[in-house]
Amino acid sequence: MADPAPDFVSANLEWRARALRSVAYGTSSTPRGNQLPAPLVAERAEGAHLWDISGRRFIDYALGYGPLILGHSPSPVIAAVMAEMGRGLRTASNHRGEALLGELITETLPSAELSAFVSSGSEAIQLALRIARAATGRVRIIRFRGNYHGWFDTVHSGGRPGNDGPDTLGQDPAATASSTLLDWGDAEGLRAAIGPDIAAVLLEPVAVNGGCFLPSPGFLETAREVTLAAGAVLIFDEVITGYRLGLGGAQGRLGVTPDLSVIGKAMGAGFPISAVAGSAAAMEPVASGRLLQRGTFNGNPVSAAAAVACICHLRDHEGAIFPRIDAMAEDLAAFIRAEAGRAGLPISVLRAGSAVQVFVGRGDIARLSDTVRMDRAANAAFAGALLAAGVQIIGRGLIYLSAEHSPEDIALTKDAISQAISATAGSC
Ligand SMILES: Cc1ncc(COP(=O)(O)O)c(C=O)c1O
């Protein structure tokens, strides 16, 4: 399938070897260095496709780890960015893009009256927690195992069920000590754990990172009820789900409104921008100027222009884009289940909107806490077999659809899936 380039592995490994001589781990984000059969070195990308250094074309479902809801280099975003760059890159002043973006978020995200901008999801989580602590005068937060909220010390623990400790070396244990960790979905545990010392309850309303799990009925409603009763701030981490599960994100789809929302990824269509958004009351510490919000690149004009163009496009084509990408995701999920069944390969396939998670080698993953049994090596091998067949997904088994994937892409992808399932079933 795609363009034949038999030796793409050695071409990519050659560049990796070169990078390793001057770049730590040869990459800017550790997981990118672990891709099988070789970490791809991208040369260019357009629409639903990327071309690597060998010139081979891949159908891309990793989509920059999620942001590219409109595919690579969408023309309305590129046009807005080019126009903005012609006006200069960054000043020390405010600019119109901030207000335009703030208005669009207020229009589209149910919980939003006011927004504050930063450059990454990790920073936005940090800001949201600071707002919650400023508003309540409390320190402790409740979080959930298997949710991911970025790499800053306060939230980087419990990322994998089975390990409540730090997620990597070098973290300050005191930073994570201010978190109480619960099982995601455990409404009764939340009821028991919350009290007058809790500043915030922080959660992914749909656990895409853990494996595309939807919340059990009543979980989000309980979180809403008990945070209100305890005077704690409810924070939805919608860095993935914002502008991906629909124009109103997970909260628009599921009908529960948090005090603060953290959004990122899809809002910028590939440019670095994230936001904390909330009611005027929840945002008061920032809005009043009592809380210092700092950051040289916060709300930078080029990223803001990209986000304005992206959200306008999603808003104007809402009815055409979201149902279509969800339907493509369902089609692929059903195909993977059927092919794995045919090959006798145990598999669990979950879908949340336009995101699909496969758990290769395991037919028994139904809840986030089950992922303690996930076979990471089998998932990485499956992703590697798909890459060899011309399709890129995220190595842990996550697949994102974009508005640019075409019926032809889906047909070619199904061929690649059949090949990868046969290869993986043979080695499992
Ligand atoms: C739900 C969630 N929150 C926060 C983050 C951190 O965002 P960033 O990588 O932009 O710092 C991520 C990143 O994957 C995420 O998935």
Side-chain angles (χ1 to χ4, degrees):
M1 70 165 303
D3 308 337
D7 208 15
F8 84 98
V9 171
S10 56
N12 284 281
L13 287 179
E14 202 175 298
W15 268 89
R16 176 156 173 80
R18 178 168 172 177
L20 280 165
R21 290 199 283 276
S22 62
V23 180
Y25 205 55
T27 178
S28 305
S29 177
T30 311
R32 286 180 219 162
N34 298 333
Q35 189 175 26
L36 297 176
L40 278 195
V41 179
E43 182 67 4
R44 70 185 178 91
E46 197 182 317
H49 304 129
L50 75 81
W51 286 260
D52 76 348
I53 200 77
S54 77
R56 183 169 181 184
R57 191 189 81 160
F58 297 85
I59 305 174
D60 189 15
Y61 297 91
L63 296 179
Y65 284 89
L68 308 179
I69 186 95
L70 299 179
H72 291 277
S73 309
S75 48
V77 174
I78 296 296
V81 162
M82 299 299 274
E84 190 59 43
M85 289 202 300
R87 290 193 277 270
L89 296 182
R90 168 84 275 185
T91 69
S93 303
N94 304 309
H95 59 93
R96 284 178 296 157
E98 290 164 315
L100 296 175
L101 182 54
E103 287 162 13
L104 275 170
I105 294 172
T106 301
E107 180 187 333
T108 52
L109 191 71
S111 63
E113 287 177 339
L114 293 175
S115 294
F117 302 117
V118 291
S119 298
S120 69
S122 299
E123 291 170 80
I125 291 287
Q126 163 75 10
L127 177 60
L129 291 176
R130 193 171 279 180
I131 294 170
R133 286 172 170 149
T136 59
R138 307 168 186 174
V139 174
R140 269 203 99 61
I141 59 172
I142 293 178
R143 296 189 283 113
F144 296 88
R145 298 182 179 97
N147 281 182
Y148 175 67
H149 303 294
W151 61 276
F152 290 179
D153 279 8
T154 327
V155 291
H156 202 217
S157 66
R160 286 185 185 181
N163 171 28
D164 280 358
D167 284 336
T168 188
L169 290 177
Q171 290 184 233
D172 175 2
T176 45
S178 60
S179 291
T180 297
L181 280 171
L182 301 175
D183 281 342
W184 188 80
D186 181 4
E188 289 320 305
L190 175 57
R191 229 179 248 291
I194 201 160
D197 60 331
I198 300 298
V201 173
L202 170 64
L203 55 87
E204 285 185 71
V206 173
V208 177
N209 282 302
C212 290
F213 296 96
L214 299 172
S216 48
F219 175 54
L220 298 182
E221 289 79 359
T222 302
R224 180 63 286 181
E225 177 203 324
V226 300
T227 44
L228 278 173
V233 177
L234 180 61
I235 307 173
F236 278 5
D237 181 345
E238 296 230 40
V239 167
I240 291 179
T241 52
Y243 299 106
R244 174 162 285 283
L245 287 199
L247 202 56
Q251 58 196 261
R253 207 141 155 165
L254 300 172
V256 179
T257 305
D259 300 302
L260 295 178
S261 304
V262 179
I263 50 177
K265 296 209 190 227
M267 74 179 275
F271 279 80
I273 187 159
S274 289
V276 181
S279 64
M283 293 294 285
E284 186 279 336
V286 185
S288 64
R290 291 193 301 123
L291 186 159
L292 280 182
Q293 188 204 349
R294 310 191 110 149
T296 305
F297 294 109
N298 286 358
N300 87 75
V302 179
S303 292
V308 166
C310 177
I311 298 174
C312 279
H313 189 84
L314 289 171
R315 180 196 60 191
D316 296 347
H317 301 84
E318 182 184 8
I321 291 177
F322 292 106
R324 183 172 165 270
I325 58 177
D326 285 15
M328 284 191 291
E330 180 53 32
D331 183 26
L332 282 185
F335 183 80
I336 296 168
R337 281 186 207 109
E339 283 294 280
R342 179 193 55 74
L345 176 69
I347 204 161
S348 304
V349 184
L350 289 98
R351 179 177 75 85
S354 55
V356 175
Q357 171 75 41
V358 296
F359 293 100
V360 178
R362 297 281 174 204
D364 56 353
I365 309 275
R367 300 150 58 94
L368 210 162
S369 51
D370 297 336
T371 60
V372 73
R373 298 193 294 274
M374 170 179 181
D375 184 342
R376 290 176 188 278
N379 267 20
F382 176 67
L386 272 177
L387 195 70
V391 166
Q392 170 163 259
I393 68 168
I394 293 174
R396 65 175 193 271
L398 183 57
I399 297 168
Y400 287 117
L401 275 297
S402 80
E404 284 295 302
H405 286 98
S406 67
E408 192 202 353
D409 292 322
I410 298 294
L412 290 170
T413 300
K414 287 179 176 174
D415 290 345
I417 287 170
S418 299
Q419 291 172 42
I421 284 180
S422 298
T424 312
S427 61
C428 257

mmCIF file of all heavy atoms in Angstrom, residues 220-252:
data_model
loop_
_atom_site.group_PDB
_atom_site.id
_atom_site.type_symbol
_atom_site.label_atom_id
_atom_site.label_comp_id
_atom_site.label_asym_id
_atom_site.label_seq_id
_atom_site.Cartn_x
_atom_site.Cartn_y
_atom_site.Cartn_z
ATOM 1 N N LEU A 220 -19.799 11.632 36.890
ATOM 2 C CA LEU A 220 -19.552 13.076 36.742
ATOM 3 C C LEU A 220 -20.578 13.870 37.551
ATOM 4 O O LEU A 220 -20.244 14.912 38.142
ATOM 5 C CB LEU A 220 -19.603 13.487 35.270
ATOM 6 C CG LEU A 220 -18.559 12.834 34.348
ATOM 7 C CD1 LEU A 220 -18.698 13.370 32.931
ATOM 8 C CD2 LEU A 220 -17.140 13.056 34.864
ATOM 9 N N GLU A 221 -21.815 13.381 37.591
ATOM 10 C CA GLU A 221 -22.861 14.076 38.350
ATOM 11 C C GLU A 221 -22.510 14.086 39.838
ATOM 12 O O GLU A 221 -22.685 15.093 40.536
ATOM 13 C CB GLU A 221 -24.225 13.395 38.140
ATOM 14 C CG GLU A 221 -24.830 13.578 36.752
ATOM 15 C CD GLU A 221 -24.236 12.674 35.666
ATOM 16 O OE1 GLU A 221 -23.310 11.885 35.965
ATOM 17 O OE2 GLU A 221 -24.702 12.754 34.511
ATOM 18 N N THR A 222 -21.973 12.943 40.319
ATOM 19 C CA THR A 222 -21.558 12.890 41.729
ATOM 20 C C THR A 222 -20.414 13.860 41.976
ATOM 21 O O THR A 222 -20.392 14.576 42.995
ATOM 22 C CB THR A 222 -21.117 11.452 42.113
ATOM 23 O OG1 THR A 222 -22.201 10.573 41.871
ATOM 24 C CG2 THR A 222 -20.701 11.374 43.566
ATOM 25 N N ALA A 223 -19.452 13.891 41.055
ATOM 26 C CA ALA A 223 -18.325 14.815 41.210
ATOM 27 C C ALA A 223 -18.835 16.255 41.292
ATOM 28 O O ALA A 223 -18.368 17.058 42.107
ATOM 29 C CB ALA A 223 -17.347 14.653 40.051
ATOM 30 N N ARG A 224 -19.831 16.564 40.466
ATOM 31 C CA ARG A 224 -20.408 17.922 40.478
ATOM 32 C C ARG A 224 -21.076 18.199 41.831
ATOM 33 O O ARG A 224 -20.869 19.220 42.463
ATOM 34 C CB ARG A 224 -21.405 18.046 39.324
ATOM 35 C CG ARG A 224 -22.120 19.369 39.140
ATOM 36 C CD ARG A 224 -21.215 20.548 38.824
ATOM 37 N NE ARG A 224 -20.437 21.022 39.964
ATOM 38 C CZ ARG A 224 -19.594 22.040 39.931
ATOM 39 N NH1 ARG A 224 -19.374 22.698 38.824
ATOM 40 N NH2 ARG A 224 -18.927 22.402 41.009
ATOM 41 N N GLU A 225 -21.862 17.232 42.282
ATOM 42 C CA GLU A 225 -22.639 17.427 43.510
ATOM 43 C C GLU A 225 -21.718 17.574 44.734
ATOM 44 O O GLU A 225 -21.871 18.504 45.528
ATOM 45 C CB GLU A 225 -23.561 16.196 43.676
ATOM 46 C CG GLU A 225 -24.386 16.194 44.938
ATOM 47 C CD GLU A 225 -24.808 14.750 45.292
ATOM 48 O OE1 GLU A 225 -25.085 13.952 44.376
ATOM 49 O OE2 GLU A 225 -24.839 14.444 46.504
ATOM 50 N N VAL A 226 -20.728 16.674 44.861
ATOM 51 C CA VAL A 226 -19.925 16.697 46.095
ATOM 52 C C VAL A 226 -18.939 17.864 46.120
ATOM 53 O O VAL A 226 -18.620 18.376 47.198
ATOM 54 C CB VAL A 226 -19.193 15.354 46.344
ATOM 55 C CG1 VAL A 226 -20.192 14.217 46.478
ATOM 56 C CG2 VAL A 226 -18.154 15.053 45.271
ATOM 57 N N THR A 227 -18.479 18.317 44.965
ATOM 58 C CA THR A 227 -17.586 19.483 44.975
ATOM 59 C C THR A 227 -18.371 20.732 45.382
ATOM 60 O O THR A 227 -17.874 21.551 46.157
ATOM 61 C CB THR A 227 -16.906 19.705 43.606
ATOM 62 O OG1 THR A 227 -17.875 19.546 42.562
ATOM 63 C CG2 THR A 227 -15.755 18.739 43.385
ATOM 64 N N LEU A 228 -19.593 20.836 44.875
ATOM 65 C CA LEU A 228 -20.419 21.999 45.283
ATOM 66 C C LEU A 228 -20.658 21.973 46.790
ATOM 67 O O LEU A 228 -20.508 22.987 47.473
ATOM 68 C CB LEU A 228 -21.766 21.975 44.536
ATOM 69 C CG LEU A 228 -21.769 22.534 43.113
ATOM 70 C CD1 LEU A 228 -23.120 22.292 42.444
ATOM 71 C CD2 LEU A 228 -21.422 24.034 43.119
ATOM 72 N N ALA A 229 -20.982 20.788 47.300
ATOM 73 C CA ALA A 229 -21.289 20.682 48.731
ATOM 74 C C ALA A 229 -20.054 20.979 49.585
ATOM 75 O O ALA A 229 -20.168 21.567 50.656
ATOM 76 C CB ALA A 229 -21.833 19.284 49.030
ATOM 77 N N ALA A 230 -18.868 20.577 49.099
ATOM 78 C CA ALA A 230 -17.647 20.740 49.902
ATOM 79 C C ALA A 230 -16.952 22.076 49.646
ATOM 80 O O ALA A 230 -15.939 22.375 50.279
ATOM 81 C CB ALA A 230 -16.681 19.594 49.603
ATOM 82 N N GLY A 231 -17.470 22.863 48.734
ATOM 83 C CA GLY A 231 -16.812 24.138 48.408
ATOM 84 C C GLY A 231 -15.497 23.937 47.678
ATOM 85 O O GLY A 231 -14.600 24.781 47.742
ATOM 86 N N ALA A 232 -15.357 22.808 46.990
ATOM 87 C CA ALA A 232 -14.143 22.534 46.204
ATOM 88 C C ALA A 232 -14.402 22.879 44.735
ATOM 89 O O ALA A 232 -15.554 22.933 44.286
ATOM 90 C CB ALA A 232 -13.743 21.072 46.346
ATOM 91 N N VAL A 233 -13.324 23.068 44.002
ATOM 92 C CA VAL A 233 -13.432 23.437 42.586
ATOM 93 C C VAL A 233 -13.406 22.157 41.743
ATOM 94 O O VAL A 233 -12.519 21.319 41.915
ATOM 95 C CB VAL A 233 -12.251 24.359 42.187
ATOM 96 C CG1 VAL A 233 -12.301 24.696 40.706
ATOM 97 C CG2 VAL A 233 -12.259 25.627 43.039
ATOM 98 N N LEU A 234 -14.365 22.017 40.849
ATOM 99 C CA LEU A 234 -14.370 20.860 39.937
ATOM 100 C C LEU A 234 -13.675 21.264 38.637
ATOM 101 O O LEU A 234 -14.093 22.213 37.957
ATOM 102 C CB LEU A 234 -15.804 20.403 39.654
ATOM 103 C CG LEU A 234 -15.936 19.205 38.703
ATOM 104 C CD1 LEU A 234 -15.237 17.964 39.244
ATOM 105 C CD2 LEU A 234 -17.420 18.900 38.419
ATOM 106 N N ILE A 235 -12.588 20.549 38.337
ATOM 107 C CA ILE A 235 -11.806 20.855 37.120
ATOM 108 C C ILE A 235 -11.909 19.685 36.154
ATOM 109 O O ILE A 235 -11.558 18.555 36.497
ATOM 110 C CB ILE A 235 -10.312 21.082 37.444
ATOM 111 C CG1 ILE A 235 -10.144 22.132 38.550
ATOM 112 C CG2 ILE A 235 -9.554 21.500 36.181
ATOM 113 C CD1 ILE A 235 -8.691 22.277 39.038
ATOM 114 N N PHE A 236 -12.407 19.953 34.956
ATOM 115 C CA PHE A 236 -12.383 18.940 33.893
ATOM 116 C C PHE A 236 -11.134 19.181 33.041
ATOM 117 O O PHE A 236 -10.950 20.289 32.501
ATOM 118 C CB PHE A 236 -13.616 19.060 32.981
ATOM 119 C CG PHE A 236 -14.861 18.404 33.519
ATOM 120 C CD1 PHE A 236 -14.902 17.836 34.786
ATOM 121 C CD2 PHE A 236 -16.010 18.349 32.730
ATOM 122 C CE1 PHE A 236 -16.063 17.232 35.277
ATOM 123 C CE2 PHE A 236 -17.172 17.748 33.207
ATOM 124 C CZ PHE A 236 -17.201 17.195 34.476
ATOM 125 N N ASP A 237 -10.312 18.139 32.926
ATOM 126 C CA ASP A 237 -9.179 18.203 32.010
ATOM 127 C C ASP A 237 -9.680 17.764 30.638
ATOM 128 O O ASP A 237 -9.834 16.568 30.369
ATOM 129 C CB ASP A 237 -8.051 17.295 32.511
ATOM 130 C CG ASP A 237 -6.832 17.341 31.598
ATOM 131 O OD1 ASP A 237 -6.961 17.825 30.458
ATOM 132 O OD2 ASP A 237 -5.755 16.875 32.020
ATOM 133 N N GLU A 238 -9.929 18.748 29.793
ATOM 134 C CA GLU A 238 -10.433 18.473 28.433
ATOM 135 C C GLU A 238 -9.353 18.790 27.390
ATOM 136 O O GLU A 238 -9.650 19.240 26.287
ATOM 137 C CB GLU A 238 -11.707 19.292 28.168
ATOM 138 C CG GLU A 238 -12.880 18.908 29.076
ATOM 139 C CD GLU A 238 -14.157 18.660 28.290
ATOM 140 O OE1 GLU A 238 -14.081 18.054 27.197
ATOM 141 O OE2 GLU A 238 -15.222 19.097 28.774
ATOM 142 N N VAL A 239 -8.085 18.569 27.786
ATOM 143 C CA VAL A 239 -6.990 18.846 26.849
ATOM 144 C C VAL A 239 -7.149 17.998 25.585
ATOM 145 O O VAL A 239 -6.904 18.473 24.471
ATOM 146 C CB VAL A 239 -5.617 18.630 27.530
ATOM 147 C CG1 VAL A 239 -4.483 18.607 26.503
ATOM 148 C CG2 VAL A 239 -5.367 19.727 28.558
ATOM 149 N N ILE A 240 -7.589 16.748 25.750
ATOM 150 C CA ILE A 240 -7.852 15.922 24.563
ATOM 151 C C ILE A 240 -9.286 16.115 24.068
ATOM 152 O O ILE A 240 -9.532 16.297 22.880
ATOM 153 C CB ILE A 240 -7.625 14.431 24.864
ATOM 154 C CG1 ILE A 240 -6.138 14.151 25.086
ATOM 155 C CG2 ILE A 240 -8.149 13.564 23.702
ATOM 156 C CD1 ILE A 240 -5.823 12.698 25.413
ATOM 157 N N THR A 241 -10.248 16.065 24.982
ATOM 158 C CA THR A 241 -11.656 15.992 24.562
ATOM 159 C C THR A 241 -12.207 17.330 24.065
ATOM 160 O O THR A 241 -13.169 17.355 23.287
ATOM 161 C CB THR A 241 -12.525 15.457 25.712
ATOM 162 O OG1 THR A 241 -12.262 16.241 26.889
ATOM 163 C CG2 THR A 241 -12.210 14.001 25.996
ATOM 164 N N GLY A 242 -11.616 18.449 24.508
ATOM 165 C CA GLY A 242 -12.070 19.764 24.052
ATOM 166 C C GLY A 242 -11.898 19.891 22.544
ATOM 167 O O GLY A 242 -10.831 19.624 22.012
ATOM 168 N N TYR A 243 -12.964 20.260 21.858
ATOM 169 C CA TYR A 243 -12.986 20.428 20.401
ATOM 170 C C TYR A 243 -12.671 19.127 19.656
ATOM 171 O O TYR A 243 -12.409 19.138 18.468
ATOM 172 C CB TYR A 243 -12.049 21.564 19.946
ATOM 173 C CG TYR A 243 -12.492 22.872 20.545
ATOM 174 C CD1 TYR A 243 -11.778 23.464 21.586
ATOM 175 C CD2 TYR A 243 -13.663 23.487 20.122
ATOM 176 C CE1 TYR A 243 -12.223 24.636 22.176
ATOM 177 C CE2 TYR A 243 -14.117 24.661 20.716
ATOM 178 C CZ TYR A 243 -13.394 25.220 21.738
ATOM 179 O OH TYR A 243 -13.842 26.372 22.323
ATOM 180 N N ARG A 244 -12.690 17.995 20.368
ATOM 181 C CA ARG A 244 -12.578 16.700 19.687
ATOM 182 C C ARG A 244 -13.863 15.879 19.856
ATOM 183 O O ARG A 244 -14.367 15.312 18.905
ATOM 184 C CB ARG A 244 -11.364 15.883 20.178
ATOM 185 C CG ARG A 244 -11.343 14.469 19.579
ATOM 186 C CD ARG A 244 -10.011 13.787 19.668
ATOM 187 N NE ARG A 244 -9.045 14.297 18.702
ATOM 188 C CZ ARG A 244 -9.028 13.993 17.397
ATOM 189 N NH1 ARG A 244 -9.950 13.192 16.879
ATOM 190 N NH2 ARG A 244 -8.103 14.487 16.596
ATOM 191 N N LEU A 245 -14.401 15.851 21.066
ATOM 192 C CA LEU A 245 -15.636 15.085 21.243
ATOM 193 C C LEU A 245 -16.851 15.863 20.755
ATOM 194 O O LEU A 245 -17.974 15.381 20.838
ATOM 195 C CB LEU A 245 -15.819 14.699 22.711
ATOM 196 C CG LEU A 245 -14.895 13.609 23.245
ATOM 197 C CD1 LEU A 245 -15.456 12.989 24.512
ATOM 198 C CD2 LEU A 245 -14.637 12.516 22.230
ATOM 199 N N GLY A 246 -16.625 17.053 20.288
ATOM 200 C CA GLY A 246 -17.697 17.919 19.822
ATOM 201 C C GLY A 246 -17.282 19.353 20.107
ATOM 202 O O GLY A 246 -16.282 19.577 20.804
ATOM 203 N N LEU A 247 -18.046 20.301 19.589
ATOM 204 C CA LEU A 247 -17.681 21.707 19.779
ATOM 205 C C LEU A 247 -17.645 22.054 21.267
ATOM 206 O O LEU A 247 -16.820 22.857 21.695
ATOM 207 C CB LEU A 247 -18.718 22.579 19.047
ATOM 208 C CG LEU A 247 -18.295 23.977 18.659
ATOM 209 C CD1 LEU A 247 -17.045 23.966 17.793
ATOM 210 C CD2 LEU A 247 -19.444 24.675 17.932
ATOM 211 N N GLY A 248 -18.530 21.450 22.040
ATOM 212 C CA GLY A 248 -18.577 21.726 23.483
ATOM 213 C C GLY A 248 -17.790 20.720 24.307
ATOM 214 O O GLY A 248 -17.943 20.672 25.536
ATOM 215 N N GLY A 249 -16.961 19.903 23.660
ATOM 216 C CA GLY A 249 -16.126 18.943 24.375
ATOM 217 C C GLY A 249 -16.951 17.881 25.079
ATOM 218 O O GLY A 249 -18.132 17.659 24.779
ATOM 219 N N ALA A 250 -16.320 17.208 26.046
ATOM 220 C CA ALA A 250 -17.017 16.148 26.791
ATOM 221 C C ALA A 250 -18.171 16.740 27.589
ATOM 222 O O ALA A 250 -19.235 16.140 27.715
ATOM 223 C CB ALA A 250 -16.037 15.428 27.711
ATOM 224 N N GLN A 251 -17.969 17.933 28.137
ATOM 225 C CA GLN A 251 -19.032 18.528 28.970
ATOM 226 C C GLN A 251 -20.271 18.837 28.136
ATOM 227 O O GLN A 251 -21.400 18.700 28.612
ATOM 228 C CB GLN A 251 -18.538 19.781 29.690
ATOM 229 C CG GLN A 251 -18.021 20.871 28.797
ATOM 230 C CD GLN A 251 -17.194 21.899 29.576
ATOM 231 O OE1 GLN A 251 -17.694 22.934 29.915
ATOM 232 N NE2 GLN A 251 -15.917 21.613 29.817
ATOM 233 N N GLY A 252 -20.067 19.232 26.876
ATOM 234 C CA GLY A 252 -21.205 19.496 26.001
ATOM 235 C C GLY A 252 -21.945 18.205 25.682
ATOM 236 O O GLY A 252 -23.164 18.171 25.568
#
